[in-house]
Amino acid sequence: MAKKPIWVVEKERGAKAAAAATIWLFGLHAVRDALMNPARQKLRLIVTKNAHDKLADAIAMAAIEPELVDPRKFNAPLDPQSVHQGAALEVKALDWGSLADLALSDGHGPARLLLLDRVTDPHNVGAILRSAEVFGARAVIAPARHAAPETGALAKTASGALERQPYLRVKNLGDAIEELKEMGYICLGLAGEAEDEIDSIADQYQDRPLALVLGAEGPGLRERTRELCDHLVKIPFLGEFGSLNVSNAAAVSLYAVRAKP
């Protein structure tokens, strides 16, 4: 029997590792929302007596048997600096489906998406997910590599939004942009040196689905990403200090392109 090519073996190993991978969520808010999410596969819950009492309704809804531990011997495999508030939940990552599933999903008004080009800080991505939920974005899209994965720190910063706001990681962000354009999306890349302001360009496409593309702080958008965007736009600033961190820029941009009555 012929041996499998090395690339096939490595791909199969990667698939098995991904299937076996789990995430530890922590903090009362993140754990509560995950417990109450029927789409979330829940494996193990570690809580102190105090946290158990605060989460009793969610634990009952999830029908999971908690492990009660002494606060001084909290044995969940978390970073020692994690502010867990006496609650940690082991889960599987959520399955949000395909890019087309999300981009063409039903919603209020023309679709809005956020695409993140190598934004690796989980706290920034968590904050972006909160803004995306508030302003009604259909999804936040990021590359599978060089992007913040779904982690406990991200979930805690997202303050529950991770359970409701799709966060899809794709193989190649440039290919995703091209796919969205084929679906009728207008892709706007945020760049501080752009000539056009986001408000004026967004007004031209009020009735079209829009995808906002944001790069990492410092490097910004990669060259191919910039080339694939339909327009490069900037957030207008007053005064000499003209920059926002990426999570704030995402919130302002989503507000600027919101569907207006």
Side-chain angles (χ1 to χ4, degrees):
M1 183 177 179
K3 289 186 176 180
K4 295 180 180 178
I6 293 176
W7 70 269
V8 173
V9 174
E10 291 178 346
K11 185 175 181 180
E12 290 177 347
R13 285 176 181 169
K16 287 181 180 178
T22 62
I23 304 155
W24 279 93
L25 305 180
F26 57 86
L28 291 173
H29 199 157
V31 169
R32 172 183 291 280
D33 284 315
L35 286 171
M36 299 181 73
N37 182 2
R40 176 70 84 173
Q41 187 177 350
K42 299 163 273 286
L43 305 174
R44 185 182 176 196
L45 175 64
I46 299 175
V47 287
T48 62
K49 175 65 168 61
N50 185 48
H52 178 276
D53 292 344
K54 293 178 178 178
L55 296 171
D57 57 338
I59 293 171
M61 180 178 292
I64 187 172
E65 187 65 32
E67 300 174 33
L68 286 173
V69 298
D70 188 303
R72 296 163 295 182
K73 299 178 181 178
F74 197 80
N75 60 341
L78 304 175
D79 185 295
Q81 305 303 315
S82 300
V83 184
H84 54 71
Q85 299 173 293
L89 178 66
E90 185 182 18
V91 299
K92 291 280 192 179
L94 289 164
D95 181 4
W96 293 108
S98 69
L99 178 63
D101 291 337
L102 297 172
L104 301 176
S105 63
D106 293 331
H108 177 71
R112 301 292 185 257
L113 295 176
L114 273 178
L115 277 68
L116 306 180
D117 190 10
R118 297 197 174 197
V119 178
T120 57
D121 185 330
H123 299 95
N124 273 334
V125 175
I128 287 169
L129 287 169
R130 292 181 69 177
S131 295
E133 181 179 29
V134 168
F135 292 111
R138 302 288 167 84
V140 176
I141 314 295
R145 298 178 62 190
H146 307 296
E150 190 176 331
T151 63
L154 186 154
K156 195 169 193 302
T157 308
S159 193
L162 181 62
E163 302 303 319
R164 301 176 294 273
Q165 178 62 46
Y167 179 46
L168 179 67
R169 297 172 69 201
V170 296
K171 185 175 181 180
N172 185 288
L173 194 70
D175 292 348
I177 292 173
E178 291 185 319
E179 186 178 346
L180 288 171
K181 289 166 72 171
E182 290 176 1
M183 296 179 204
Y185 274 78
I186 300 297
C187 296
L188 307 181
L190 271 289
E193 73 280 6
E195 295 183 3
D196 294 319
E197 295 185 356
I198 188 170
D199 310 66
S200 60
I201 296 298
D203 285 345
Q204 298 177 31
Y205 299 107
Q206 264 295 299
D207 298 325
R208 295 284 298 276
L210 296 178
L212 295 170
V213 190
L214 292 89
E217 293 173 41
L221 299 175
R222 288 174 294 164
E223 185 176 352
R224 182 175 183 236
T225 306
R226 294 167 65 95
E227 292 173 352
L228 288 171
C229 290
D230 295 296
H231 300 275
L232 293 180
V233 297
K234 65 182 178 182
I235 298 170
F237 295 102
L238 298 176
E240 296 181 1
F241 188 79
S243 66
L244 293 169
N245 77 14
V246 66
S247 61
N248 288 332
V252 173
S253 301
L254 282 171
Y255 181 77
V257 303
R258 71 195 186 284
K260 299 172 185 175

